Amino acid sequence: MKNVTVTMSEALLQRARVAAARDGKSLSKFVAEAVEQRVGRSLTQREALDIFLGGPPLHVLDENGKAPTTTQLYDDE
């Protein structure tokens, strides 16, 4: 984790403290979660793979369930 310095008005700081306390969180955790909601979080490799594999099917197999050969893929005819 890295520390950052954030500048805000006293009024905004007070409202942020109250909101964090209401949620039972530290101000640091509250601000970090707010930033994460705004910019999103990076995906883990597993999440990215699940999204990729959950996408539309790639119809590359023929009616016999066989994939095309290299020659068939790159045949210029």
Side-chain angles (χ1 to χ4, degrees):
M1 294 283 178
K2 293 286 186 177
N3 292 326
V4 296
T5 300
V6 178
T7 304
M8 64 181 74
S9 70
E10 283 290 329
L12 178 58
L13 176 59
Q14 185 58 34
R15 292 194 319 267
R17 283 182 174 149
V18 169
R22 184 180 56 237
D23 290 354
K25 300 175 184 170
S26 68
L27 182 59
S28 178
K29 176 103 173 147
F30 181 81
V31 171
E33 287 178 359
V35 171
E36 187 175 322
Q37 286 177 353
R38 176 75 177 180
V39 300
R41 67 175 178 82
S42 58
L43 299 175
T44 64
Q45 278 188 321
R46 176 60 191 240
E47 290 169 329
L49 184 60
D50 287 344
I51 290 169
F52 175 77
L53 294 176
L58 302 175
H59 301 288
V60 296
L61 303 180
D62 66 12
E63 61 276 353
N64 298 319
K66 294 188 178 192
T69 64
T70 303
T71 305
Q72 290 171 324
L73 285 173
Y74 297 103
D75 190 12
D76 289 336
E77 293 180 21

